[in-house]
Every structure is written in structure tokens, then in C-alpha cells.
Amino acid sequence: MTLFELYIELQRVHSPLPAAWQMKTGRSEAWPMIHCSLPVEAFRLGNGTGIGEKKMSKLLSANFLRLIKNKVFWGGLILMAAWGIFVPVKMHMDAVQSGYTNNIENAFFGCAIFVGIVMAVFCSMFIGTEYNDGTIRNKIIVGGKRWAIYLANMAVSCVVGVVLCVAYMIPYLFVGMPLLGAFTAPGEMVLLTMLTVLLFAVALSAVFTCIAMVCQNKAATAVICILLAFGFLMTAMVLNEMLDAPETIKEYSLEDDGSMSSFEEPNPKYLTGTNREIVQTLYDINPGGQAIQCAAMTAVNPLRLPLYSLGIILLATGAGIVLFRDRDLK
């Protein structure tokens, strides 16, 4: 325990003297209350670095040490790895039964659908625990910079998002290539989609970190993040249905002789021109839309998706730092 932590503890707890001290001094009264007016500089470590002036590297080290012991992280990692093993095995079994050929890339990026939900749980629990334990408040009390605390938590969340995707892809490759064969899609498309998925995971991490750092209630943060993750996917499904509407629809009519005839008519729900561009842009920006397009490798504007993810990262991070800086911590 550092000198500063000892001071805080003695100020908070008015406890009896330890038994060893009583035997040595013959005193059994309580610890005297300490009233200290020393500045933070008085509680410097031996190397001259103030506790209230921790560098970014120290904040990151502390966060990654917590991460190694975090059960939610390990649970998500095992879940994604297990899913990466199960999917190619199931695809191979279906191909054997139906005779239909499944290519390895058909579900290689399926992690994009689930990583958002796992990250919603992780960010809300990992950062929410810091609020519940008073860790964030204590970091600020001893002089920690709010922007550094925010970025340290965001860095851990982003790393976890990438690691979860990789934890799905690597087992998928090791199991899928012997069962399903090599990739048939162009290598450039596979690499671009992989980059898009990883940036998409970082973008979701930035969004959930923003919510978790601004909302101090752990339960409320978990509900908001999980609902938002599902909301992204549900909204994307609606937009996808609008974009997939056929240009024409088949109509049937009954002829005079009692026979049925069919003919094509324009579909009023088919989007064209500016309306289609607007819906497609919303679909591309929406993280849920990016997840669906990457999972199916059907992106209409593949080069735009990474740029949209970068925009989400910058906006979420900027907004989060500003809101957290002005936040009145309990």
C-alpha cells in the first residue's frame, strides 16, 4: 500500500490498533485521526513519479492487467473460438448431406454479426466495474487526466474487439481449410473485407466505450449497450430489405376462358435515384449494415466501409472525451 493510500484508509476507518502494536506499547485506543494538508507531490514514489501524474503507459498496464483476470473477456474469447470451430464443421456436414458446395469464405467473416453483442457486454462490465469500485474517481482525485483515463479504457476495448474477431478467424481457418478447401474469392476482396471487419470491431468498441464512460450506472450501461447492438442489426435488416426489393413484381389475372396469366409490373417499393443512394449510405454507415455486408461479402461500396468506420471512431471518441471531461462523478 502506498503512503497516499494509507492516508486515505486511515482517514476513512477509525479502527483499533493492531494487536502487535498494543503488546509493544501497551496502548489499546483507536488510531488517531490524521489531518494532512500535504500536497499530492508529497506522496511521490521513490523514482519521483507522482501517483496523480501516471503516464499513459501505466494506465494501459493497469488496464491490461485487469483484462487478463477478466472473466467476461475470457468467456467471450472462448465463445468466439468455439463458434469459429463449429461453423465450418456444420457447413461441411450440410454439404455432405445436400451435395451443395460450401466455400470457406461463405462464413469466414461471420464473427462480424456476433462481435458487437459480445463487445456490448464486455465494455459495460469492464468499465462499469471501475465506476462501481470507485477506481475512476480515485484516479481523478490523485491527479489523473480524464482524457488519459478515457483513452486507456478505449484502447483496451479496441484491442479486445480485434482479438475476439481473430479468435474466430484462426480456428475457422485451421478447421475450415481441410474441410472446405481454399478461398475461391479474390485475395484482394478477402483482405479488404478483413480490414473492414477489424475496423468495424474497433468502431463498435469506441461507441460502447463512449456510453460506458459517460453512464456511471453499470446495469444501465449494460442494457443500453446490448439494446444498441441489437438495434444496429435490426435497423440494418430493415434497410437491407428495402434495398433488396425487386424492380418488378409478378401479377396474375384471370382470363375470360378461366385460365391464369401472369405479367410483370413495376414494384412501387423499389428504390431508385436519390432515395436509393440515401438508404445505401445509411446502410453502409450503420455498423449493423457493415456486419451483414461483411459476413455475406456482398458490400456494394467496399472501399467506403473502412472510411465510415474511421469516422465513427473519431466521432465517438471525440464526443466521449468531451462528455467525460465535463461529467460530475459521484
Side-chain angles (χ1 to χ4, degrees):
M1 178 180 289
T2 64
L3 180 59
F4 182 80
E5 292 171 339
L6 177 61
Y7 162 70
I8 294 297
E9 184 66 17
L10 293 179
Q11 288 287 71
R12 186 177 67 85
V13 181
H14 193 56
S15 58
L17 287 169
W21 181 261
Q22 293 180 26
M23 293 175 63
K24 181 176 181 180
T25 63
R27 299 171 56 189
S28 60
E29 68 273 14
W31 285 103
M33 294 302 291
I34 299 175
H35 299 283
C36 179
S37 59
L38 292 177
V40 173
E41 285 74 13
F43 301 104
R44 290 185 181 276
L45 299 176
N47 61 4
T49 303
I51 296 177
E53 300 173 357
K54 286 186 176 180
K55 295 181 179 180
M56 192 68 173
S57 59
K58 294 186 177 181
L59 290 172
L60 289 172
S61 299
N63 280 358
F64 279 109
L65 184 61
R66 284 184 57 222
L67 177 65
I68 294 174
K69 303 175 182 179
N70 189 269
K71 295 180 180 179
V72 177
F73 166 68
W74 287 108
L77 198 67
I78 293 172
L79 177 64
M80 295 298 286
W83 192 249
I85 295 172
F86 170 79
V87 171
V89 173
K90 184 65 168 61
M91 291 172 62
H92 175 69
M93 294 173 61
D94 292 342
V96 171
Q97 293 178 358
S98 64
Y100 177 77
T101 301
N102 274 323
N103 296 322
I104 190 172
E105 64 265 22
N106 288 357
F108 180 63
F109 299 109
C111 58
I113 301 294
F114 304 101
V115 70
I117 300 171
V118 178
M119 284 305 303
V121 176
F122 170 79
C123 290
S124 59
M125 299 299 291
F126 186 81
I127 299 175
T129 299
E130 283 207 322
Y131 271 119
N132 275 11
D133 296 344
T135 305
I136 291 181
R137 184 184 67 248
N138 292 339
K139 288 178 181 178
I140 295 175
I141 288 175
V142 298
K145 300 298 183 181
R146 292 201 179 204
W147 64 266
I149 296 171
Y150 185 99
L151 291 179
N153 283 333
M154 178 182 164
V156 173
S157 299
C158 292
V159 169
V160 171
V162 172
V163 169
L164 290 176
C165 291
V166 174
Y168 171 90
M169 293 177 184
I170 292 179
Y172 186 101
L173 280 177
F174 276 99
V175 177
M177 293 192 74
L179 297 177
L180 305 174
F183 286 92
T184 59
E188 297 82 0
M189 180 182 295
V190 174
L191 292 176
L192 179 59
T193 306
M194 183 180 297
L195 174 64
T196 303
V197 169
L198 297 180
L199 282 176
F200 151 79
V202 173
L204 280 179
S205 302
V207 172
F208 295 142
T209 299
C210 176
I211 296 171
M213 291 295 291
V214 172
C215 181
Q216 301 181 40
N217 187 293
K218 184 177 179 180
T221 300
V223 172
I224 294 172
C225 290
I226 293 172
L227 288 179
L228 185 61
F230 280 104
F232 283 146
L233 290 174
M234 297 300 293
T235 303
M237 291 179 185
V238 173
L239 295 174
N240 182 57
E241 184 177 356
M242 295 172 64
L243 292 170
D244 282 349
E247 188 172 357
T248 61
I249 54 177
K250 184 174 288 187
E251 295 287 349
Y252 297 90
S253 64
L254 182 64
E255 301 294 340
D256 294 337
D257 58 359
S259 61
M260 296 290 295
S261 62
S262 62
F263 56 94
E264 299 285 340
E265 280 196 352
N267 184 3
K269 295 183 179 181
Y270 180 74
L271 299 175
T272 58
T274 305
N275 291 336
R276 189 171 189 84
E277 284 293 327
I278 293 174
V279 174
Q280 182 66 55
T281 301
L282 293 175
Y283 187 54
D284 292 342
I285 294 175
N286 180 8
Q290 293 191 27
I292 293 175
Q293 294 182 76
C294 289
M297 296 187 69
T298 56
V300 177
N301 305 306
L303 295 178
R304 296 183 187 178
L305 301 187
L307 299 178
Y308 290 143
S309 291
L310 288 174
I312 293 173
I313 294 169
L314 294 176
L315 287 175
T317 304
I321 290 176
V322 172
L323 293 173
F324 180 64
R325 181 190 62 193
D326 300 331
R327 188 71 172 171
D328 183 18
L329 300 181
K330 297 179 182 179

